[in-house]
Amino acid sequence: MRTPLDRLRHALLFEILAFFLVVPLGALAFHMPMQHMGVVALVSATLATIWNMLFNHGFDRVMKHLRGTTAKTPAQRVLHAILFEIGLLMVLMPFIAWYLGVTLWQALVMDLSFAAFYIFYALGFNWLYDKLFPLPEWREA
């Protein structure tokens, strides 16, 4: 299992890199000012960082319990990314609608667009993170 410090490094790297990608892309895609997208991205990143640490810890505990290891297959990585985004969607959609003054439907479309981006981003980021910072148990396997 990863240490709390490693989980913090993972979450912060994940969110900082995503922030610099999402703000300009979101402003462009949704015709919103960069400042508004920046606030949405900052609040979203803060909530996502907390969710990231909690969700990943829980997911790893379940993996360790069910399989005896936290090593993930490609299918498990896809499941991990999808479940993470579903949980985050339930928190972020009301905030986006309120802050940007859009309907819940528009917020859902925006949030789903962000979620689609993040599914692929999370898949790639987590795979690379695991390659750069492997756990000792993975080297032995």
Side-chain angles (χ1 to χ4, degrees):
M1 299 274 293
R2 295 200 178 273
T3 65
L5 191 57
D6 187 25
R7 289 185 187 286
L8 180 61
R9 174 182 57 190
H10 173 274
L12 290 175
L13 286 173
F14 182 93
E15 295 303 333
I16 290 167
L17 180 58
F19 181 83
F20 287 106
L21 294 171
V22 162
V23 171
L25 291 174
L28 207 65
F30 299 113
H31 309 288
M32 293 279 178
M34 291 249 307
Q35 306 89 304
H36 289 134
M37 293 311 297
V39 169
V40 167
L42 189 59
V43 169
S44 297
T46 301
L47 294 173
T49 299
I50 295 165
W51 176 236
N52 185 311
M53 292 175 66
L54 295 172
F55 179 80
N56 287 334
H57 179 71
F59 196 90
D60 283 354
R61 285 181 58 104
V62 170
M63 291 281 298
K64 186 82 168 171
H65 176 74
L66 294 177
R67 300 189 61 237
T69 181
T70 58
K72 298 169 188 73
T73 66
Q76 289 163 335
R77 288 184 180 281
V78 170
L79 177 65
H80 175 269
I82 290 170
L83 291 176
F84 176 86
E85 291 302 328
I86 288 171
L88 195 57
L89 177 83
M90 292 190 291
V91 174
L92 294 180
M93 191 177 70
F95 166 73
I96 291 171
W98 169 77
Y99 183 76
L100 295 178
V102 297
T103 66
L104 282 175
W105 178 255
Q106 290 168 312
L108 176 64
V109 169
M110 292 174 113
D111 207 355
L112 288 175
S113 299
F114 288 131
F117 165 81
Y118 273 101
I119 285 172
F120 292 104
Y121 173 74
L123 181 64
F125 179 91
N126 288 320
W127 212 319
L128 182 59
Y129 189 88
D130 287 347
K131 293 290 184 192
L132 293 173
F133 305 103
L135 290 174
E137 72 180 64
W138 300 346
R139 290 186 211 127
E140 297 165 6

